[in-house]
Amino acid sequence: MALSNVVETPASGFNFENVSRNVALEGLLEGGHTKAPKPMKTGTTIAGVVCKDGVVLGADTRATSGEVVADKMCAKIHYISPNMYCCGAGTAADTEKTTDLLSSNLTIFSMNSGRNPRVVMAVNILQDMLFRYRGQIGASLILGGVDCTGNHLYTVGPYGSIDKVPYLAMGSGDLAALGILEDRFKPNMELEEAKELVRDAIHSGIMSDLGSGNNIDICVITKQGVDYIRPYQESEYKDKRQRRYKYRPGTTSILTEKIVPLELEVVQETVQRMDTA
Amino acid sequence: AKMFTQVYGDNGKMKEYHYTGPVEHRFSPYSFNGGTVLAVAGEDFAIVASDTRLSEGYSIHSRDSPKCYKLTNTTVIGCSGFHGDCLTLTKIIDARLKMYKHSNNKSMTSGAIAAMLSTILYGRRFFPYYVYNIIGGLDEEGKGAVYSFDPVGSYQRDTYKAGGSASAMLQPLLDNQIGFKNMEGVQHLPLNQEKAVQLVKDVFISAAERDVYTGDALRICIVTKEGIKEETVPLRKD
């Protein structure tokens, strides 16, 4: 789909080919007592802040699948281009694939034109794609980057809405994080102060929201480069267990054993010289 | 997807918008407040443990709401599920215990409390108490006893049982460590009190790692013939 953007223009209007197929599938699954597999959501807290020298993005590292923690150290800050990173909340597969697609598109563009992509271009591509899918792609993204026009922070919602903001939080812990940001944000902050603010905002999301937890990742984007600190802060809870749970070899009973020897014979031998000059 | 087939119809042209009639808004009398409970019976002791987090949806109501309630000097009950029903049920059990004591001039035994709870729960068979109960205590001979219930009153006596939101994660671990299941050539050592308390703490640490509704702190009630001792251990707060 990314290449089709560059090579041919898509047919005009909305594409609803898959709607009747989806309805039929839902009916099939409900009738047959099998449930559709639940997509893994990130149930997240992500935040971003624009400061004097660049943009600071932060995220927690917990991915939940319903009420179970599926991944304790998942990476929610995705690489888009050398000067842009994107935090994603919502369905994990959607955020990963959307940001991958965006990154590929921008790489093709910068190879074609010889220029570094601007943040506003990335936002437009994202908005175009998410709006086209009418909210079926459950990705809420915070895109931050530094380009020749300055430091920018944008949010893109799953239905394709965008907003250009100086500070922002998204995900299930967004209200908790926004409380901290609203209280302490000032325009043109120093880098260290901005990092502490984002860390505190994510921390508040982690403590107040059950869908967020574990460690905090921070990504600092400036004109000089990117500092992706993973983890910026590890969770202070250390699970010290009191007993050791190790099993001796032989604890699992072997019921039957069958050994099939693989007989190999040399059929053909070729030698290929490597050029090691 | 369903919305589109209604609005667009089969041939892709927009259908006439028509009013579909009165819409029913459902009110659910239940809500799930999370929490995990665990009980283990030993030779001369019983342990009832629960986490202390009260949650709803993705929010936390309280970090200090233990789910073990002391009933008599020899019995503790752990209740998790819908907090409103937990509170009412424990009030009803307390009242019935007092009535029994006044009529019969003695405290109820653990087995008697279990049988009574079963009838109380089945009395609400068609609008159940949304509570997962586990009773832990000492029986008449002074041996540890654990009784586990379902929301409508089915119960049985066990050696160990986990209930609540992380029960599916804890029960297999207990089957392996206390029941020595799925292991060969391992000595079946009887469980002593110190090892049982360590195991309960470790098992809750694991539950708090992977279950979002379990965490904050762990309250352990150890029932012996000397009385009931309480211990609180911190767990993950995120």
Side-chain angles (χ1 to χ4, degrees), chain A residues 26 62 67-70 72 206-207 209-210 214 235 237 239 241-243 245 247-248 251 253, chain B residues 2 53 55 58 63 165 176-177 183-185 198-199 202 205-206 209-213 236 238:
Chain A
E26 257 174 66
R62 172 183 284 183
E67 60 179 48
V68 177
V69 175
K72 295 194 270 190
I206 284 175
M207 296 306 268
D209 176 44
L210 296 178
N214 297 95
S235 145
Y237 180 77
D239 50 352
R241 289 189 176 78
Q242 308 203 324
R243 286 171 67 193
Y245 298 91
Y247 298 101
R248 242 182 359 90
T251 305
S253 48
Chain B
K2 284 205 168 85
R53 173 178 282 175
S55 50
Y58 271 135
R63 294 196 198 272
S165 62
N176 177 262
Q177 292 292 312
M183 291 204 291
E184 258 208 18
Q198 281 178 344
L199 180 65
D202 289 348
I205 289 174
S206 302
E209 289 282 318
R210 290 289 177 175
D211 181 31
V212 304
Y213 297 124
R236 309 186 72 101
D238 60 8

Side-chain angles (χ1 to χ4, degrees), chain A residues 50-55 146 151 189-191 221-224:
Chain A
V50 173
C51 61
K52 192 169 73 173
D53 303 316
V55 178
V146 174
N151 317 327
M189 278 193 296
E190 293 297 327
L191 199 61
I221 310 170
T222 52
K223 248 212 293 256
Q224 286 79 32

Side-chain angles (χ1 to χ4, degrees), chain A residues 47-58 77-87 119 142-147 150-154 191 194-195 218-229:
Chain A
V49 154
V50 173
C51 61
K52 192 169 73 173
D53 303 316
V55 178
V56 180
L57 300 172
I77 307 185
H78 308 283
Y79 167 84
I80 304 287
S81 75
N83 59 334
M84 274 192 261
Y85 273 73
C86 180
C87 307
V119 184
I142 295 185
L143 184 72
V146 174
D147 60 23
N151 317 327
H152 305 287
L153 185 69
Y154 284 88
L191 199 61
K195 272 157 74 172
I218 296 266
C219 183
V220 183
I221 310 170
T222 52
K223 248 212 293 256
Q224 286 79 32
V226 172
D227 193 10
Y228 190 160
I229 312 168

Side-chain angles (χ1 to χ4, degrees), chain A residues 40-46 59-72 74 76 88-90 170-174 176 202 204-215, chain B residues 53 55-60 209-213 237-238:
Chain A
M40 180 167 91
K41 303 196 93 186
T42 51
T44 301
T45 307
I46 48 178
D60 74 306
T61 60
R62 172 183 284 183
T64 52
S65 188
E67 60 179 48
V68 177
V69 175
D71 192 348
K72 295 194 270 190
C74 96
K76 299 185 191 180
M170 301 273 268
S172 56
D174 60 355
I202 303 288
S204 135
I206 284 175
M207 296 306 268
S208 317
D209 176 44
L210 296 178
S212 317
N214 297 95
N215 308 323
Chain B
R53 173 178 282 175
S55 50
E56 186 163 352
Y58 271 135
S59 317
I60 300 180
E209 289 282 318
R210 290 289 177 175
D211 181 31
V212 304
Y213 297 124
K237 292 184 164 42
D238 60 8

Side-chain angles (χ1 to χ4, degrees), chain A residues 5-202:
Chain A
N5 251 341
V6 181
V7 172
E8 62 184 33
T9 43
S12 58
F14 298 121
N15 184 348
F16 290 111
E17 278 168 13
N18 287 333
V19 168
S20 35
R21 178 206 74 175
N22 289 344
V23 169
L25 261 181
E26 257 174 66
L28 252 177
L29 286 170
E30 247 135 76
H33 300 294
T34 37
K35 275 199 153 142
K38 233 186 328 195
M40 180 167 91
K41 303 196 93 186
T42 51
T44 301
T45 307
I46 48 178
V49 154
V50 173
C51 61
K52 192 169 73 173
D53 303 316
V55 178
V56 180
L57 300 172
D60 74 306
T61 60
R62 172 183 284 183
T64 52
S65 188
E67 60 179 48
V68 177
V69 175
D71 192 348
K72 295 194 270 190
M73 195 56 180
C74 96
K76 299 185 191 180
I77 307 185
H78 308 283
Y79 167 84
I80 304 287
S81 75
N83 59 334
M84 274 192 261
Y85 273 73
C86 180
C87 307
T91 307
D94 287 342
T95 59
E96 274 168 34
K97 283 301 181 210
T98 308
T99 47
D100 269 350
L101 229 43
L102 176 65
S103 172
S104 309
N105 257 333
L106 290 180
T107 315
I108 293 174
F109 162 80
S110 51
M111 283 185 198
N112 266 336
S113 65
R115 290 187 171 91
N116 257 341
R118 296 193 190 178
V119 184
V120 70
M121 175 178 181
V123 170
N124 276 316
I125 295 177
L126 273 178
Q127 175 185 45
D128 183 53
M129 179 181 154
L130 291 176
F131 181 70
R132 206 171 342 125
Y133 281 92
R134 307 291 286 178
Q136 299 292 324
I137 296 186
S140 310
L141 306 165
I142 295 185
L143 184 72
V146 174
D147 60 23
C148 55
T149 52
N151 317 327
H152 305 287
L153 185 69
Y154 284 88
T155 167
V156 187
Y159 285 84
S161 57
I162 58 169
D163 201 5
K164 183 174 191 327
V165 275
Y167 61 91
L168 185 64
M170 301 273 268
S172 56
D174 60 355
L175 292 177
L178 220 39
I180 303 286
L181 290 174
E182 293 279 6
D183 186 32
R184 288 167 30 197
F185 176 80
K186 292 186 294 294
N188 288 328
M189 278 193 296
E190 293 297 327
L191 199 61
E192 284 308 314
E193 205 187 331
K195 272 157 74 172
E196 275 311 297
L197 177 60
V198 171
R199 183 223 83 90
D200 286 342
I202 303 288

Side-chain angles (χ1 to χ4, degrees), chain B residues 136-212:
Chain B
L138 302 174
D139 64 8
E140 284 107 331
E141 296 161 23
K143 290 206 178 74
V146 164
Y147 297 91
S148 62
F149 294 76
D150 80 344
V152 279
S154 156
Y155 80 110
Q156 67 180 34
R157 184 168 171 176
D158 286 311
T159 321
Y160 54 87
K161 189 79 171 149
S165 62
S167 59
M169 292 184 208
L170 298 184
Q171 190 66 27
L173 189 48
L174 297 176
D175 283 340
N176 177 262
Q177 292 292 312
I178 305 182
F180 302 104
K181 303 266 171 66
N182 304 110
M183 291 204 291
E184 258 208 18
V186 179
Q187 239 187 336
H188 285 18
L189 295 162
L191 198 64
N192 68 6
Q193 188 176 319
E194 191 193 321
K195 261 216 243 146
V197 172
Q198 281 178 344
L199 180 65
V200 164
K201 288 179 185 166
D202 289 348
V203 135
F204 263 93
I205 289 174
S206 302
E209 289 282 318
R210 290 289 177 175
D211 181 31
V212 304

